[in-house]
Amino acid sequence: MTRFTEWSDLFAEHLHQKFKDKKGALLPFLHDIQDALGHIPPAAIDHICDSLNLSKAEVDGVISFYHDFKKEHDGRFSIKVCRAEACQSSGSEELVSHIQKRLTQDGTDTEFHIEAVYCLGNCALSPSVMMKEKLYGRVTPKRFDHLLTLERTPHA
Amino acid sequence: MTSVKIFIPQDAAALSVGADEVAALVQTQAETHNLPIEIIRNGSRGMLWLEPLVEVETPNGRIAYGPVGCEDVPSLFEEKFWEKHDHPLCHGLTEEIPFFKKQERLTFARCGLTDPLSLTDYRAYDGFNGLENALKMSPADVCQTVRDSGLRGRGGAGFPTGIKWQTVLGAESDVKYICCNADEGDSGTFADRMIMEGDPFSLIEGMAIAGYAVGAQEGYIYLRSEYPHAHRMLEKAIQIAYDNNWLGDNIQGADFSFSLEVRKGAGAYICGEETSMLESMEGKRGLVRAKPPIPALSGFFGKPTVINNVLSLTTVPIILAKGAAYYESFGIGRSRGTQPFQLSGNVKQGGLIEKAFGLTLRELIYDYGQGTRSGRDVRTVQVGGPLGAYLGDNQFDLALGYEEMSEGGALLGHGGVVIFDDSVDMAQQARFAFEFCTIESCGKCTPCRIGAQRGLETMDRVIAGDNVATNLDLLEDLCELMKDGSLCAMGGLTPLPVESAIQNFPNDFYSKTDCRS
Ligand SMILES: Cc1cc2nc3c(=O)[nH]c(=O)nc-3n(C[C@H](O)[C@H](O)[C@H](O)COP(=O)(O)O)c2cc1C
Ligand code: SF4
Ligand code: FES
Ligand code: FES
């Protein structure tokens, strides 16, 4: 299957075919765009309105309701840190301060940013972090530094 | 020489601490040592503090090693861990580990034992026996069996599953739906994830039984987007089930067809509330619907719909396989059967404990959990997710059952128990309860939307020591308002963690030095 990385007529048509007959298609439609492009651009919103016969207000309303959908993105890499109770009880707030300090010190806050999330389902191995859909457990500040180094090393 | 069977889980929790890397290293080490091995990527046994847990099959049963890091793998091979069992990481027979041995695994009977995507394994461990039995019964009898088992919804509210199914069965409609609630948003819970990754066919089987019982031909799993690994496992399992006629048209030759699809959520806690979930599945903002009508009569696109939690549905197969009386023989009072409890937070031995209702919190915390990971005293546990109560030591002897917990001013919810040591500041926890509600409220009703914001501001003043007594009085009124005036349990239960924290740990609130007095 073609992997789409930017908004194009081809991508638009692909999505239209995939979702035109689906019940409650809007969320899966938005997920496909968000996954491919990292955000939902204005042209995509117009296309959804045509394809699913929805008003712009309806589509905008849905995008703004859900934490996963973003209308724009600044290209920064998101470090999702769990700040819910089980992680709080094992040092997630200290971890957040550590990461913040670390990013400012290295000047890499232009590349990375922290996104607070509330439970990643890894509560017994807290604190938990997710980067690029990969989950990490028992994330001490030291382990975080190690993971960040790995993340920055270009993959072979 | 026959190959040595080695089990290394592919559960997301195990992967989060390096199970893939360990598996790769075990493979290369085996080659170096000329040892023929077969690695099976099983589900997790639920002893999460031991993950990555490496098991090796022996004539006496599986021997457990854990937690195994990559750095430990060479020494395991040097000490011939498949023959001799004296490596420092060896725990002996897996099933003799006290944490595991004392459990009663019904819903999770297969989880961790089998390759989650092997239909052969699934069948060998009684898989699809429940569906086969159900297909020989009348739909009404299937509903009655589930009702007689005493099974109550494991998603939090504890509504009898059989009664819900009977309502949907009785509703007149050509089209009906089964929706599985796999939003698992409660912090401190991971049982849904664990079984979807470790035994996904059990969910498929449970949903097919539900479909047959109520006359529905379409099923949906509403899965939270925070679970990409569970998503992959479900997609693969569903495909295998279709390929082998456990889904699709005329399942195993019966006059029953059932289709199944996963729908991904988009990061909204409130979409775990069933009507919000329906709105979301229909492609709308997840605003909670006023009830009535109940979803059983008017649910997905207005059609009669069964909505059940993952654990309710994955428990149905064993009820149909072994009978209502068998399942009902476990438990206490009106809480029948077993509950997969999830022990997490600051705990030495965290993980999943499936046990008949009726054990106490103290047993969970100290016998299974062995106290805190930090080695400090346990100060409080939060039971039942972010909307659950904070309990103190004097409540640890409460029996874990629906009625028993509510008599103690708490709720069981989805069975999560989060442990905190004595460094916790309960005023901060109360503040967080409001903060969470401001972030996750659907915004439909004022007591919740505005109330949570006011609560947060008031807690900030209490923490700053600003007119503490007056502000705590204010908070009390606010909590009453939220409880009385909220449309759903998000606003209605946010006061529970707050009030229980104040009641059980007043010093954390009143001792804040009042700067104005
Ligand atoms: C704020 C809120 C969040 C909820 N989150 C979940 C959830 O994540 N998973 C779940 O199964 N039920 C959740 N519920 C309960 C559902 O509304 C519903 O009762 C349940 O899915 C019914 O299935 P059951 O009878 O099998 O438990 C939530 C309820 C509320 C009020
Ligand atoms: S209580 Fe909160 S979450 Fe529930 S309907 Fe009202 S605003 Fe929405
Ligand atoms: S509370 Fe952090 S992973 Fe569940
Ligand atoms: S927008 Fe609904 S109360 Fe104001």
Side-chain angles (χ1 to χ4, degrees):
Chain A
M1 205 188 85
T2 335
R3 283 193 74 90
F4 297 98
T5 52
E6 54 188 42
W7 187 249
S8 64
D9 288 348
L10 204 64
F11 191 20
E13 182 54 23
H14 160 84
L15 293 168
H16 175 69
Q17 291 304 331
K18 183 168 171 190
F19 292 117
K20 65 181 175 14
D21 299 319
K22 204 176 186 77
K23 282 178 202 161
L26 185 52
L27 258 71
F29 208 127
L30 289 169
H31 269 304
D32 273 16
I33 301 172
Q34 175 76 39
D35 288 351
L37 314 180
H39 72 301
I40 318 281
I45 296 177
D46 294 338
H47 173 68
I48 296 173
C49 294
D50 291 344
S51 176
L52 300 181
N53 199 14
L54 295 168
S55 74
K56 197 148 179 282
E58 283 171 294
V59 179
D60 271 335
V62 167
I63 294 174
S64 65
F65 185 84
Y66 296 96
H67 300 301
D68 283 2
F69 302 134
K70 320 235 144 74
K71 281 179 83 168
E72 51 223 14
H73 72 141
D74 56 11
R76 280 190 302 172
F77 179 98
S78 168
I79 302 167
K80 293 182 176 167
V81 185
C82 175
R83 300 183 80 167
E85 288 88 342
C87 288
Q88 291 166 9
S89 80
S90 15
S92 60
E93 290 311 299
E94 291 79 350
L95 178 65
V96 168
S97 329
H98 170 81
I99 299 176
Q100 262 154 358
K101 212 170 83 199
R102 175 76 211 255
L103 295 182
T104 353
Q105 264 171 7
D106 303 359
T108 44
D109 43 0
T110 47
E111 272 173 70
F112 297 90
H113 76 113
I114 299 181
E115 192 178 335
V117 291
Y118 298 92
C119 196
L120 294 166
N122 200 26
C123 328
L125 299 180
S126 48
S128 307
V129 165
M130 191 178 258
M131 296 190 275
K132 288 197 183 137
E133 295 222 325
K134 189 156 165 36
L135 178 65
Y136 299 93
R138 298 188 189 122
V139 186
T140 55
K142 193 170 153 222
R143 179 157 142 84
F144 176 80
D145 288 347
H146 176 67
L147 294 172
L148 193 65
T149 316
L150 290 182
E151 202 50 65
R152 279 179 179 156
T153 324
H155 298 288
Chain B
M1 184 176 167
T2 56
S3 57
V4 177
K5 272 193 177 169
I6 297 173
F7 296 80
I8 306 174
Q10 57 164 307
D11 168 277
L15 298 178
S16 83
V17 286
D20 269 349
E21 291 76 4
V22 168
L25 204 57
V26 166
Q27 187 67 53
T28 52
Q29 282 282 314
E31 282 157 23
T32 317
H33 289 256
N34 273 323
L35 180 75
I37 61 162
E38 181 191 353
I39 298 182
I40 293 138
R41 304 301 304 271
N42 55 339
S44 173
R45 293 277 201 156
M47 294 183 278
L48 294 171
W49 81 99
L50 292 179
E51 294 291 3
L53 179 81
V54 174
E55 291 175 279
V56 56
E57 193 163 86
T58 74
N60 301 323
R62 292 189 200 166
I63 304 281
Y65 294 83
V68 177
C70 284
E71 64 285 1
D72 303 313
V73 176
S75 72
L76 284 175
F77 277 86
E78 273 150 36
E79 302 195 16
K80 296 195 185 319
F81 75 113
W82 58 96
E83 284 170 9
K84 296 193 309 188
H85 312 303
D86 45 14
H87 190 280
L89 292 178
C90 183
H91 301 277
L93 290 167
T94 312
E95 293 180 6
E96 292 297 318
I97 298 174
F99 186 97
F100 192 87
K101 190 174 184 179
K102 288 186 290 180
Q103 298 193 33
E104 287 152 310
R105 291 265 176 125
L106 304 185
T107 307
F108 280 77
R110 270 175 303 262
C111 192
L113 272 182
T114 55
D115 171 351
L117 295 175
S118 160
L119 260 187
T120 320
D121 281 8
Y122 190 66
R123 294 291 277 161
Y125 288 89
D126 303 332
F128 287 125
N129 289 2
L131 178 56
E132 282 178 334
N133 287 348
L135 292 173
K136 288 179 221 144
M137 296 160 68
S138 73
D141 284 349
V142 178
C143 290
Q144 190 62 43
T145 302
V146 173
R147 183 165 175 173
D148 291 342
S149 76
L151 176 65
R152 291 165 68 177
R154 300 286 187 248
F159 188 82
T161 304
I163 296 181
K164 188 182 283 186
W165 289 17
Q166 285 174 331
T167 309
V168 179
L169 174 64
E172 289 290 339
S173 175
D174 301 346
V175 181
K176 296 177 186 178
Y177 297 105
I178 309 296
C179 291
C180 169
N181 190 338
D183 202 50
E184 195 161 62
D186 286 359
S187 53
T189 68
F190 44 84
D192 294 353
R193 179 187 60 66
M194 218 178 107
I195 202 156
M196 287 187 289
E197 294 170 352
D199 195 22
F201 293 126
S202 68
L203 181 55
I204 297 174
E205 183 178 357
M207 290 184 73
I209 294 171
Y212 177 77
V214 305
Q217 301 199 352
E218 270 180 61
Y220 292 90
I221 300 169
Y222 185 84
L223 178 71
R224 66 197 304 246
S225 62
E226 290 85 347
Y227 285 178
H229 186 63
H231 195 175
R232 283 189 292 272
M233 294 298 282
L234 285 172
E235 292 289 1
K236 286 183 198 165
I238 289 172
Q239 190 55 52
I240 295 169
Y242 270 112
D243 292 344
N244 291 276
N245 193 222
W246 291 107
L247 283 174
D249 293 335
N250 298 98
I251 290 175
Q252 304 298 310
D255 182 21
F256 168 62
S257 303
F258 192 68
S259 68
L260 189 54
E261 192 184 310
V262 180
R263 286 298 175 92
K264 192 161 88 165
Y269 176 75
I270 194 58
C271 289
E273 194 284 333
E274 56 186 9
T275 62
S276 166
M277 180 185 99
L278 291 171
E279 291 289 301
S280 181
M281 289 182 39
E282 290 180 12
K284 300 183 215 146
R285 295 163 68 90
L287 294 185
V288 171
R289 294 178 186 171
K291 287 188 252 189
I294 53 169
L297 298 175
S298 174
F300 190 41
F301 286 109
K303 301 294 179 191
T305 304
V306 167
I307 300 172
N308 273 134
N309 172 255
V310 173
L311 298 181
S312 318
L313 289 163
T314 50
T315 301
V316 164
I318 192 167
I319 293 171
L320 268 296
K322 299 209 169 168
Y326 172 77
Y327 191 75
E328 203 267 342
S329 70
F330 295 85
I332 51 160
R334 289 182 49 223
S335 308
R336 309 312 311 171
T338 57
Q339 166 71 39
F341 297 100
Q342 300 129 82
L343 197 56
S344 74
N346 191 336
V347 59
K348 198 178 279 168
Q349 299 190 162
L352 180 128
I353 298 131
E354 181 174 354
K355 190 77 185 160
F357 289 100
L359 80 166
T360 65
L361 275 170
R362 199 176 298 285
E363 288 174 81
L364 268 187
I365 301 165
Y366 293 103
D367 293 355
Y368 290 90
Q370 298 284 313
T372 64
R373 205 188 309 168
S374 60
R376 302 172 65 129
D377 288 344
V378 175
R379 180 136 189 260
T380 185
V381 296
Q382 187 181 28
V383 186
L387 307 175
Y390 284 102
L391 303 175
D393 187 85
N394 61 339
Q395 290 156 299
F396 289 174
D397 295 309
L398 276 176
L400 290 156
Y402 295 104
E403 282 69 29
E404 292 74 9
M405 289 298 280
S406 58
E407 275 159 29
L411 53 88
L412 193 57
H414 187 48
V417 176
V418 178
I419 299 182
F420 293 77
D421 74 11
D422 58 7
S423 65
V424 65
D425 178 352
M426 298 310 293
Q428 289 294 343
Q429 298 311 116
R431 179 191 184 280
F432 177 75
F434 283 123
E435 185 185 15
F436 184 70
C437 189
T438 63
I439 299 168
E440 299 296 342
S441 165
C442 84
K444 184 156 175 166
C445 57
T446 323
C448 170
R449 181 167 39 92
I450 307 292
Q453 191 57 44
R454 290 286 166 272
L456 179 60
E457 292 158 8
T458 312
M459 269 316 302
D460 275 337
R461 283 196 283 274
V462 169
I463 290 168
D466 175 359
N467 285 309
V468 172
T470 320
N471 276 311
L472 285 175
D473 283 345
L474 213 72
L475 217 54
E476 208 179 294
D477 291 343
L478 182 70
C479 285
E480 286 312 313
L481 184 82
M482 289 180 75
K483 284 190 276 188
D484 294 342
S486 296
L487 182 58
C488 84
M490 176 88 224
L493 284 177
T494 291
L496 186 57
V498 175
E499 289 180 325
S500 59
I502 299 175
Q503 198 179 359
N504 295 327
F505 305 95
N507 285 343
D508 286 27
F509 296 81
Y510 287 96
S511 69
K512 305 287 176 200
T513 35
D514 206 322
C515 50
R516 294 216 189 145
S517 59

